[in-house]
Amino acid sequence: MPMTYFIAIILVIGVVAYIIGRQRAAVHTGGAVKQHSRPHYHAWWAFLLATVPALLFLIVWSVGSSVYLERHIEAQLPPQTADSAVPNRSLELGLVRSLANGLRRLDAATLDKLPATFAELQPMLVAKGVALAPDTQDYMIPVAVETNRASDGLRLTGGVIGLILSLAGAGIAVRGIQPRTRARNNVERIVLWALLGSSTIAILTTVGIVLSMLFETFHFFASVPLTNFFFGTVWDPRFAAAGAGDSAGQFGLIPLLAGTLYIALVALLVAVPIGLMSAVYMAEYASRRVRSIVKPTLELLAGIPTIVYGIFALVTLGPFLRDLSAALTGGTPFIQAQSIFTAGLVMGIMLIPVVSSLSDDIITAVPRAMRDGSLGLGATRSETIKRVILPAALPGIVGAVLLTASRAIGETMIVVLAAGVAANLTLNPFEAMTTITVKIVNQLTGDLEFNSPQTLVAFALGITLFVVTLIMNIVALYIVRKYREQYE
Amino acid sequence: MNIMTEQKLEQAVGASMTAKTNEVIKMQGRKVGVFYGEKQALFDVELDIRQNQVTALIGPSGCGKSTFLRCLNRMNDTIDSARVTGKITLDGEDVYDPKIDVVELRARVGMVFQKPNPFPKSIYENVAYGPKIHGLARTKADLDAIVQSSLQKAALWNEVKDRVHEPGTGLSGGQQQRLCIARAIAVAPEVILMDEPCSALDPIATAKVEELIDELKQNYTIVIVTHSMQQAARVSQRTAMFHLGYLVEEGATDKMFTNPDDKRTQDYITGRFG
Ligand SMILES: Nc1ncnc2c1ncn2[C@@H]1O[C@H](COP(=O)(O)OP(=O)(O)OP(=O)(O)O)[C@@H](O)[C@H]1O
Ligand SMILES: [Mg+2]
């Protein structure tokens, strides 16, 4: 019986406990003793007691049994020697496991007279749509059968214990229903734990991601010196020569970092003024009708996938700018089809709705009293905006801009298509350059050894990107706080 | 009821016609009506504001006092749905004339709001805001002088002279309200409109602001909305009573509080409704 059945049964027990609990608690309402918790709290408590411990047990049990099974398989395999058919233990375990899974597809009759060799077995499995690695060995077949038997046994035991736990929990909760039982407090506590658990998961995931990146980054720096990475001005990982002795390649971060910041800067130069001004227009000038049309339209822009912007840049804008510049100089174009300028421009367009919708919320949040105060002194609308509203909204706007900058720095698709993948180091915005994210993708796609510096450099790049955005956030917080101290 | 109101109105208008010779009519409302969308909030209000006097607007909540006050310097323009009919003049000029520059008007008719609303800037910057916008000061020294004299007139200078560069939001509620008055004075207005300026203040701060209003009337014309009968009686020379969007009656404060013509005024003043 698969685990899902047990889980379903436990949930059914929970629902039954809920209903019974509710009825039992309802009997007490209006009695002589004032009830501590309302009936639905008793009901929820019964549900939780019937399901949570049992489900937790099932999770622990299945983790424990898979560890046990692994030992169990290993014990039955012949010891590893230099001339074992499968050179690697973990590979061997993997083969047995997939064989065991494959065997589950066969019907009982076939399983009873299972052939002894893999050569005979394979066509049967293929007929059932199971494709296995050809180096599966004959001696693995009995092991796999035994594995399946053991795991069935474990699962049944676990499921039954889970059911007993569930019934016991339901019984305890339902029997415990008294007028003064503090079911409400119990439920609240569980809710608290659940919320706490969720936020812990978020934090732990972040920590996990950072740690795993750090770990791989250390690997990378074992083969490439820190200074070469951080101060190197040439990016040339030399894929072709990977693996050959002294050809580590050059991993200079500078061109990528410069490209990232340059493109982000151009994008912000486009997005921040336009976005901010359209936010001011929407918040201060537009009538309600205009606003109800313009705002959703602007936000529609934010919903366009970035790859579409990239295509627009590659197919339309890039060639147009090139031809335009060619026409201007009368022959040679000074804007290349793929350039920082094109990428920044398109990315800026993509970011306009981000800036404007964030700033719009911030500007509308400035109290009406500020506006009235200024207008009442005979200030014009634009003076009011410039001297009162924007300063009051500044911390929020700085936050919005930095948030936008993070997005610009993390953007990949537009850059690949609009600025290219060539890691140049140039100040001319009309030439091609590339960014950190693009190179991360570049290094990780393709058929590469995972341990080579060519691949590991992606993690170093990732960490660098992480640190850059982290610093930006810290700066943003600092600015916001300084401003607050001054005015509140 | 309408007829009665009109009768009273005629009397009130008659009274204003018989203004003493040394009294100058600064602002005048004739048949002022205000609509918020379809809903009419103010009906045919006829009211004179005399120069260098304090005029108090009283009446139960929602009767249109703030609405009328906001007509006087066209702050109702900032409300999308609001529409004003009738005629309001300042020194005989129609305030709603398209040729009138609303920015200039608001510099001449300043406003202090119910809740103190200093800008999130320093005390100095708060007061200097208006003069800077209107270019009233040529040099930094001029500006300093304006700021200082405004703060002095608002009776705030002594309390803040050592910290004019600290944030205005860091002052107490009463100080903030006096800062807002200083801010309004700094533009050198002719009329100052105050909408319940003391409603957020304690009795001591209120006393200070009232004292200040009394002094300010030497140089300015003041219109004040208040819910406090004592305050109206203490600071104002003229009182106008509003009810449900109509001006019920208007007259010298002494007479209004001792011997009002209209029963509704009597009831309101003695606390029988509102
Ligand atoms: N912006 C607005 N939009 C729609 N209706 C409004 C608006 N402002 C005021 N009103 C309506 O106009 C009427 C008069 O309001 P007003 O604010 O002038 O009253 P008030 O006498 O100042 O009252 P209070 O003493 O409570 O301040 C009220 O019925 C109010 O609901
Ligand atoms: Mg009001």
Side-chain angles (χ1 to χ4, degrees), chain A residues 286-288 368-380 383-388 391-392 483 485-488, chain B residues 70 73 75 78-80 103 106-107 109-111 113 117-122 129-130 132-134 167 169 183-184 187:
Chain A
S287 69
R288 201 170 300 162
R368 196 187 159 87
M370 293 292 119
R371 282 183 192 92
D372 284 351
S374 172
L375 293 173
L377 288 170
T380 62
E383 281 166 344
T384 304
I385 290 162
K386 197 175 73 194
R387 287 165 178 260
V388 174
Y483 181 89
E485 273 169 7
Q486 208 178 338
Y487 287 142
E488 270 174 23
Chain B
R70 294 165 64 90
N73 72 343
M75 279 302 278
T78 65
I79 299 173
D80 285 338
V103 165
R106 291 191 190 137
V109 184
M111 191 153 199
F113 297 84
N117 59 345
F119 301 132
K121 300 174 184 290
S122 70
Y129 183 81
K132 272 187 185 169
I133 282 178
H134 297 293
T169 40
R183 191 172 70 181
V187 194

Side-chain angles (χ1 to χ4, degrees), chain B residues 36 39 41 59-68 79 81 114 196 227:
Chain B
Y36 289 113
K39 187 172 154 277
S61 194
C63 66
K65 306 180 296 292
S66 302
T67 301
F68 180 73
I79 299 173
S81 65
Q114 178 167 356
E196 301 180 42
H227 277 152

Side-chain angles (χ1 to χ4, degrees), chain A residues 16 26 51 109 161-162 178 181 195 203 222 245 282 324 335 372 375 404 453-454 477:
Chain A
V16 172
T51 53
I161 299 179
Q178 298 291 332
T181 313
L195 297 178
I203 293 171
M282 279 195 299
L324 184 75
I335 303 181
D372 284 351
L375 293 173
T404 317
Q454 278 79 4
L477 275 182

Side-chain angles (χ1 to χ4, degrees), chain A residues 406-483:
Chain A
S406 306
R407 282 205 48 180
I409 287 175
E411 175 51 40
T412 315
M413 286 331 293
I414 292 180
V415 185
V416 176
L417 295 177
V421 293
N424 300 325
L425 190 54
T426 171
L427 275 179
N428 183 352
F430 302 125
E431 279 177 28
M433 223 164 155
T434 199
T435 63
I436 295 180
T437 49
V438 170
K439 281 302 169 196
I440 293 180
V441 175
N442 242 303
Q443 297 306 106
L444 288 181
T445 45
D447 207 3
L448 278 171
E449 242 184 289
F450 201 72
N451 289 336
S452 68
Q454 278 79 4
T455 313
L456 289 175
V457 70
F459 295 95
L461 291 175
I463 280 283
T464 313
L465 208 56
F466 175 74
V467 171
V468 169
T469 35
L470 190 70
I471 290 176
M472 268 183 12
N473 287 351
I474 292 172
V475 170
L477 275 182
Y478 173 76
I479 294 175
V480 170
R481 194 157 309 150
K482 191 169 170 217
Y483 181 89

